[in-house]
């Protein structure tokens, strides 16, 4: 009997079972084709569909977090280790003990200098001397090394020619600073403002008012890293208010007196009181009463 005939007879005998099976196989194949087709259509139109809904929001947050993490890692890899680890003068000494000597660019040195506390930065190099160096286009690099009880800083031009040789003594006795001097001045009694509060209040003022207090931005840039406190006179004389800035120097403190305009001083005092209302309640500078 031919094979075809046998198959047909077998199908006739068991058609009740085989027909549903065949239908199931055909339908499954059809569903697979439809599913693949729909998937391809969705993939093709994925970039064209609006990205809305909770899932899209969560996915965007995940991707943004990954981008930020990768950016932070790349930033840390690109940041020189001396910028990551040196935040105090002791950090610098310890780093030099590990590295023996350190050669850095002028920009890296300025970054380290800004990271140091004001008193320690002033011990490393006087801000006014550093400002003169920074204004000198010939300054290119700094070589630092430690010898006995001192740090040696050699500031050089692009050809390695020295511009300045600076020594910082590390003996503990040389680190002592004189006590703040403004407290001894009776004219500023109860009107001395701490560094942090003054800076926040001052830098929140418009530039035009800042210039009526410190008329040279370069001076403020030099004082700000080593500013300790500021005394504000309670009186107005000839339309001006006396302000005395106490800044850290190499082995003591320095007092710098400036005349601020009456209007700028009033705005500054108001900003100080708003910045630290629980600590300061300064009265506005008042004009002197003539006794003629």
């Amino acid at each position: 009997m031919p094979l075809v005939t046998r198959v047909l007879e077998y199908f006739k005998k068991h058609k009740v079972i085989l027909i549903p099976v065949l239908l199931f196989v055909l339908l499954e194949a059809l569903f697979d084709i439809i599913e693949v087709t729909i998937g391809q259509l969705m993939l093709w139109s994925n970039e064209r569909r609006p990205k809305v809904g909770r899932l899209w929001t969560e996915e965007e947050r995940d991707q943004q977090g990954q981008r930020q993490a990768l950016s932070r890692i790349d930033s840390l890899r690109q940041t020189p280790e001396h910028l990551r680890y040196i935040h105090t003068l002791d950090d610098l000494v310890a780093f030099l003990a590990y590295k023996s000597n350190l050669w850095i660019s002028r920009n890296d040195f300025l970054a380290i200098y800004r990271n140091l506390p004001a008193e320690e930065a002033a011990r490393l190099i006087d801000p006014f001397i550093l400002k003169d160096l920074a204004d000198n286009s010939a300054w290119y690099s700094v070589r630092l090394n430690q010898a006995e009880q001192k740090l040696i800083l050699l500031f050089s031009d692009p050809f390695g020619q020295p511009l300045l040789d600076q020594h910082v003594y590390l003996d503990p006795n040389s680190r002592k600073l004189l006590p703040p001097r403004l407290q001894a001045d009776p004219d500023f009694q109860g009107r001395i403002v701490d560094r942090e509060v003054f800076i926040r209040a001052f830098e929140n003022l418009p530039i035009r008012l800042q210039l009526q207090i410190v008329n040279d931005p370069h001076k403020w840039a030099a004082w700000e890293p080593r500013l300790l406190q500021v005394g504000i006179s309670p009186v107005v004389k000839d339309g001006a208010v006396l302000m005395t800035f106490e800044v850290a120097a190499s082995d003591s403190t320095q007092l710098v007196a400036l005349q601020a305009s009456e209007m700028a001083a009033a705005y500054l005092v108001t900003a100080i009181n708003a910045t630290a209302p629980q600590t300061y309640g300064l009265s506005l500078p008042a004009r002197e009463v003539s006794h003629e």
Side-chain angles (χ1 to χ4, degrees), residues 75-105:
S75 176
L76 288 174
R77 287 173 177 170
Q78 295 171 7
T79 302
E81 58 182 357
H82 50 266
L83 295 183
R84 300 200 302 268
Y85 300 138
I86 299 175
H87 304 287
T88 66
L89 195 55
D90 288 339
D91 293 341
L92 178 57
V93 172
F95 194 84
L96 288 175
Y98 169 68
K99 288 287 189 180
S100 298
N101 63 74
L102 178 65
W103 179 91
I104 56 177
S105 67

Side-chain angles (χ1 to χ4, degrees), residues 109-110 113 118-134 139 153 155 164 166-168 221-223 225-226 247-254:
F109 179 83
L110 291 173
Y113 191 84
E119 298 88 345
E120 295 186 357
R123 287 192 59 231
L124 195 60
I125 181 173
D126 187 280
F128 289 103
I129 297 177
L130 182 62
K131 178 183 179 299
D132 290 339
L133 273 172
W139 176 31
L153 293 77
F155 298 80
L164 176 68
Q166 177 83 0
H167 291 196
V168 181
W223 293 341
R226 60 191 182 113
V247 295
S250 58
D251 57 357
S252 63
T253 62
Q254 177 185 8

Side-chain angles (χ1 to χ4, degrees), residues 41-55:
L41 288 173
M42 293 184 66
L43 182 63
W44 175 76
S45 63
N46 189 47
E47 296 298 327
R48 297 171 175 79
R49 286 182 287 119
K51 297 180 179 181
V52 296
R54 184 176 62 84
L55 291 178

Side-chain angles (χ1 to χ4, degrees), residues 122-196:
R123 287 192 59 231
L124 195 60
I125 181 173
D126 187 280
F128 289 103
I129 297 177
L130 182 62
K131 178 183 179 299
D132 290 339
L133 273 172
D135 291 341
N136 185 351
S137 59
W139 176 31
Y140 180 74
S141 64
V142 185
R143 181 178 294 276
L144 301 94
N145 58 67
Q146 182 178 354
E148 299 177 352
Q149 290 297 316
K150 64 182 178 181
L151 295 180
I152 301 174
L153 293 77
L154 182 62
F155 298 80
S156 304
D157 65 14
F159 305 100
Q161 297 301 312
L163 300 174
L164 176 68
D165 188 7
Q166 177 83 0
H167 291 196
V168 181
Y169 291 91
L170 300 176
D171 183 82
N173 294 327
S174 69
R175 297 190 181 188
K176 295 180 180 178
L177 293 175
L178 296 177
R181 296 157 57 189
L182 270 180
Q183 277 76 1
D185 191 333
D187 291 339
F188 297 114
Q189 187 173 3
R191 300 184 65 84
I192 298 175
V193 183
D194 290 339
R195 159 193 170 84
E196 290 77 11

